Amino acid sequence: MATVLSVSGSPSATSRTARLLRHLDADLSAQGHEVIPLDVRTLPAEALLGADFAHPEIVRATELFARADGIVIGTPVYKAAYSGLLKTLLDLLPQYALTGKTVLPLATGGSTAHVLALDYALRPVLSSMGAAHIVQGWFVLDRHITTGEDGSVVLDPASAAPLDQVVAQFAAALDRTAPVPPALARTAPVPVTR
């Protein structure tokens, strides 16, 4: 199965975006994928704002992107664009950090007026970074993400069903692009030439 980096670009410690991503992480893990969560807000502000490419935490984040087969990028939408915090991290990554990756863009916001931010603000950046395949993204209204009494994330049915489809498409794309494990590659039949 694939390694998935799940990136929350929200600056808030009580972020609906991060809760949504951790909910989806559980689904992807249940399908057998290795999921690595990354909350950009936990990276050192001085390294992000000072563009310190050599800072150990920035180096580690860059290595996580390089290691992943697939990337889920979630962001709150502010002023019809993805978060400045996410932009700061993306600016520190190598120019083609997403080369060969399958990417699922997700956004949360208070109004459907921001739905197009995925296609007009985030998708072009992901594409310019070399993403091999950007699957259909999804926008979830903040009010559709609540917390249950047990602390679990509860999604409004209006968002849950289409989000399940988007995640299924992402998982299917990962399965199609996942590298062949070395053990299987060694046992693959060798074509005979005449």
Side-chain angles (χ1 to χ4, degrees):
M1 287 297 180
T3 299
V4 176
L5 180 61
S6 179
V7 181
S8 171
S10 176
S12 171
T14 58
S15 167
R16 286 184 179 90
T17 303
R19 287 192 302 231
L20 174 66
L21 287 174
R22 300 303 79 92
H23 175 75
L24 299 180
D25 293 353
D27 289 347
L28 290 166
S29 292
Q31 294 176 39
H33 300 291
E34 176 190 4
V35 180
I36 303 166
L38 174 63
D39 290 315
V40 181
R41 69 177 185 78
T42 64
L43 297 174
E46 67 278 2
L48 288 168
L49 297 175
D52 185 354
F53 296 92
H55 190 284
E57 289 300 309
I58 301 303
V59 170
R60 184 184 74 81
T62 302
E63 290 169 350
L64 290 175
F65 275 86
R67 178 178 161 209
D69 303 303
I71 314 279
V72 178
I73 293 189
T75 180
V77 175
Y78 302 118
K79 299 185 187 292
Y82 57 95
S83 76
L85 183 64
L86 179 59
K87 181 182 186 329
T88 304
L89 175 63
L90 295 177
D91 285 348
L92 289 176
L93 295 175
Q95 182 175 357
Y96 296 108
L98 301 180
T99 298
K101 313 292 182 195
T102 299
V103 181
L104 169 59
L106 299 171
T108 61
S111 164
T112 56
H114 299 301
V115 167
L116 294 178
L118 280 171
D119 288 332
Y120 291 101
L122 187 55
R123 184 177 291 270
V125 172
L126 301 175
S127 180
S128 75
M129 294 179 74
H133 182 48
I134 303 171
V135 300
Q136 176 185 346
W138 198 254
F139 180 89
V140 180
L141 287 167
D142 288 342
R143 67 179 176 268
H144 286 184
I145 305 166
T146 57
T147 304
E149 290 181 15
D150 62 353
S152 65
V153 171
V154 178
L155 294 176
D156 184 281
S159 289
L163 191 57
D164 284 346
Q165 286 184 320
V166 169
V167 173
Q169 290 170 0
F170 174 70
L174 284 174
D175 290 343
R176 285 192 300 272
T177 60
V180 177
L184 292 178
R186 284 193 301 272
T187 61
V190 178
V192 177
T193 58
R194 295 177 192 210

